[in-house]
């Protein structure tokens, strides 16, 4: 019986690894070799680097560490180390070419599946293997790199998005108050000990919060246009004048009128913070955000790259949090007021370069995931972070307030 159960777990892991790879390859399928190698921005790696890095990270953890085997291609690892090689230098590294990277990805995957067949996932004290932790980490890693790839794909002219079912186009838009209240009291923050989560989500703890109000939906393009008109603020990334006083979105080489009903996206933390103050509000702390997100549905949310864009603010109301806030998960990452700091009792696991290297006042926390985030990555305790000047990430925001405003 136990053998049967383990086999099922291993089959499920193998299937999910396959599905993750299918999506990665689908995203780059329309691109030429030249597109894959092209450096579009010093802020983003060429796509070819992401592909090699995904496979090299898999080799490091699932073949070398778990399987105690030698790497296929010697010291390749040093060029795919994200900390050693900042994004602006990745276009110049002697990494695998478009012709070499696919066989390398396939070769690593073959060995990953060999090791998976041998490994003990249940009757083990090894925290890396228990409940398949390292496999969950690898799945999340490939999924998360899809999102960095999508950031770059926003700059690719006439990029043809892969056809996916179940996009947000047909979702109805709910009406409701501008803000919803969250009662004072203790709220559970962070991820429990069981199940996969990143080290930065642990340990779980309670936070005593004052009562506060939070916007029911993410801030819209329409509201952001008012803010721009009133203050002279810059437009979000990928907006251009249409020549008649309006604005166009130009991501992926398209030119579409900005939809005032959709959440604003591709704004920096500084811009989000300035908007909140202009509106007489503030950004929520990350703990307030998590409290307001309790009960939000990850199933009824615009995630997983399905529609290749946002849904209108107020959509997916049946996925609302207990607070009544909608779209806490999906559509746009939401900037919070908080610096990325460890929770009290934090322990780096399994490697300090995922979170620990980034703790401190330089990075702000984002919550909730975006349309470009794979569904399996996100949960209400998930913490993302970036520099407050960053605009190429899929980030918007919603405001909070101490009173009803
Ligand atoms: C959590 C999105 C900030 O992209 O730098 C990918 C995720 N870490 N490979 C990043 C990550 C290692 C990370 N973020
Ligand atoms: Fe990575």
């Amino acid at each position: 019986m136990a053998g049967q159960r383990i086999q099922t777990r291993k089959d499920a892991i193998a299937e999910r690894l396959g599905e993750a790879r299918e999506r990665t390859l689908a995203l780059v399928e329309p691109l030429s070799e030249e597109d894959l190698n092209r450096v579009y921005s010093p802020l983003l790696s060429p796509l070819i680097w992401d592909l090699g890095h995904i496979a090299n990270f898999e080799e490091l953890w699932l073949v070398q560490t778990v399987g105690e085997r030698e790497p296929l291609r010697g010291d390749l690892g040093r060029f795919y180390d994200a900390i050693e090689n900042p994004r602006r230098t990745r276009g110049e590294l002697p990494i695998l070419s478009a012709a070499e990277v696919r066989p390398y990805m396939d070769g690593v995957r073959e060995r990953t599946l060999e090791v998976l067949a041998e490994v003990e996932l249940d009757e083990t004290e090894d925290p890396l293997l228990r409940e398949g932790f390292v496999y969950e980490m690898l799945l999340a890693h490939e999924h998360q790199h899809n999102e960095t790839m999508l950031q770059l794909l926003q700059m690719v002219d006439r990029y043809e998005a892969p056809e996916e079912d179940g996009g947000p186009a047909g979702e109805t838009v709910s009406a409701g108050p501008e803000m919803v209240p969250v009662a004072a009291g203790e709220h559970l923050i962070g991820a429990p000990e069981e199940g996969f989560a990143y080290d930065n989500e642990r340990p779980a703890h309670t936070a005593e919060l004052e009562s506060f109000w939070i916007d029911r939906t993410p801030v819209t393009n329409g509201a952001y246009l008012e803010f721009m008109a009133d203050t002279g603020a810059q437009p979000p990334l990928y907006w251009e004048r249409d020549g008649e006083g309006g604005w166009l979105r130009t991501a992926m080489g398209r030119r579409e009128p900005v939809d005032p009903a959709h959440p604003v996206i591709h704004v920096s933390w500084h811009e989000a913070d300035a908007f909140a103050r202009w509106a007489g509000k503030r950004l929520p702390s990350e703990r307030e955000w998590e409290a307001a997100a309790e009960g939000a549905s990850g199933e009824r949310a615009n995630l997983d790259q399905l529609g290749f864009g946002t849904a209108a603010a107020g959509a997916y109301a049946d996925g609302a949090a207990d607070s009544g806030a909608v779209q806490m998960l999906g559509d746009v990452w939401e900037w919070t007021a908080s610096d990325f700091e460890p929770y009290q009792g934090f322990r780096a696991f399994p490697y300090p370069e995922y979170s620990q290297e980034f703790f401190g006042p330089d990075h702000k926390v984002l919550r909730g995931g975006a349309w470009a985030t794979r569904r399996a990555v996100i949960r209400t305790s998930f913490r993302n972070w970036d520099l407050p000047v960053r605009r190429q990430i899929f980030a918007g925001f919603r405001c909070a307030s101490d009173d009803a405003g």
Side-chain angles (χ1 to χ4, degrees):
M1 286 305 282
Q4 190 62 45
R5 196 182 76 242
I6 292 162
Q7 194 49 50
T8 310
R9 186 202 282 280
K10 287 185 177 182
D11 286 348
I13 289 169
E15 197 176 311
R16 289 167 61 212
L17 287 168
E19 194 274 345
R21 183 56 45 82
E22 263 175 49
R23 181 64 63 88
T24 298
L25 296 176
L27 290 174
V28 296
E29 202 271 327
L31 302 178
S32 67
E33 226 169 274
E34 198 188 327
D35 296 330
L36 290 178
N37 290 325
R38 183 162 159 206
V39 178
Y40 285 83
S41 156
L43 299 176
L44 288 167
S45 327
L47 287 161
I48 192 78
W49 187 89
D50 283 275
L51 295 179
H53 167 79
I54 287 169
N56 186 250
F57 193 77
E58 174 176 331
E59 183 171 43
L60 175 65
W61 286 100
L62 300 188
V63 180
Q64 295 171 248
T65 305
V66 174
E68 295 176 340
R69 285 156 162 81
E70 291 300 311
L72 281 172
R73 307 268 312 224
D75 64 354
L76 208 52
R78 50 192 188 98
F79 306 118
Y80 289 117
D81 183 316
I83 304 266
E84 292 298 313
N85 303 286
R87 286 175 177 175
R88 70 189 137 71
T89 69
R90 291 179 192 166
E92 290 141 35
L93 295 170
I95 56 174
L96 299 178
S97 68
E100 293 166 318
V101 81
R102 283 298 303 275
Y104 176 63
M105 294 172 93
D106 294 346
V108 170
R109 179 54 53 90
E110 197 176 305
R111 302 175 102 211
T112 289
L113 296 177
E114 267 169 42
V115 173
L116 175 62
E118 297 164 9
V119 88
E120 179 60 70
L121 296 179
D122 286 74
E123 314 291 313
T124 173
E125 291 300 299
D126 184 347
L128 205 53
L129 292 175
R130 206 165 52 221
E131 293 186 302
F133 181 96
V134 73
Y135 291 95
E136 297 298 333
M137 181 177 88
L138 260 289
L139 281 161
H141 184 257
E142 181 151 357
H143 289 337
Q144 284 171 279
H145 272 276
N146 281 184
E147 190 167 330
T148 2
M149 291 162 65
L150 278 161
Q151 290 167 24
L152 186 116
L153 292 171
Q154 301 306 297
M155 300 177 198
V156 176
D157 255 1
R158 287 180 298 277
Y159 176 72
E160 296 265 356
E163 294 273 336
E164 294 292 343
D165 296 333
E171 292 293 329
T172 53
V173 173
S174 62
E178 183 175 316
M179 301 188 91
V180 295
V182 179
E186 290 205 328
H187 294 271
L188 191 61
I189 303 297
E193 282 308 308
E194 324 76 60
F196 177 78
Y198 279 111
D199 54 3
N200 65 52
E201 297 165 70
R202 292 181 167 138
H205 56 280
T206 56
E208 181 77 36
L209 299 178
E210 300 288 322
S211 66
F212 64 98
W213 292 70
I214 194 156
D215 287 346
R216 193 181 68 90
T217 74
V219 168
T220 62
N221 289 325
Y224 206 81
L225 282 162
E226 283 178 44
F227 163 64
M228 285 163 54
D230 207 40
T231 65
Q234 291 299 303
L237 188 61
Y238 304 121
W239 284 26
E240 270 175 30
R241 287 274 186 203
D242 69 358
E244 291 159 37
W247 292 94
L248 299 171
R249 280 212 69 206
T250 62
M252 299 189 288
R254 312 240 166 86
R255 301 177 69 78
E256 291 158 354
V258 165
D259 188 335
H262 277 236
V264 69
I265 190 167
H266 296 297
V267 293
S268 71
W269 181 89
H270 297 294
E271 290 165 322
D273 180 59
F275 177 101
R277 284 185 283 113
W278 169 80
K281 301 179 184 176
R282 58 179 175 79
L283 293 178
S285 71
E286 64 166 321
R287 285 178 170 82
E288 286 175 331
W289 189 97
E290 193 166 330
E294 274 165 32
S297 164
E299 292 302 314
R300 292 291 300 143
N302 182 23
L303 289 159
D304 235 19
Q305 309 154 2
L306 293 179
F308 255 76
T310 51
Y316 293 96
D318 54 347
D322 300 341
S323 64
V326 305
Q327 292 163 305
M328 294 298 282
L329 299 181
D331 283 298
V332 294
W333 285 102
E334 300 184 15
W335 287 112
T336 72
S338 302
D339 293 343
F340 186 46
E341 296 287 358
Y343 292 162
Q344 182 151 18
F346 167 85
R347 281 177 43 240
F349 179 77
Y351 68 112
E353 292 83 4
Y354 182 79
S355 312
Q356 188 167 283
E357 296 260 341
F358 297 94
F359 287 143
D362 290 351
H363 295 97
K364 297 291 183 189
V365 172
L366 300 117
R367 294 297 199 105
W371 65 262
T373 310
R374 295 293 325 258
R375 203 178 301 277
V377 168
I378 204 68
R379 50 195 163 265
T380 56
S381 63
F382 187 93
R383 306 170 76 199
N384 194 4
W385 66 90
D386 219 317
L387 298 171
V389 295
R390 278 288 157 82
R391 305 170 98 215
Q392 76 269 26
I393 55 178
F394 299 98
F397 62 100
R398 78 179 73 210
C399 303
S401 176
D402 295 345
D403 44 54

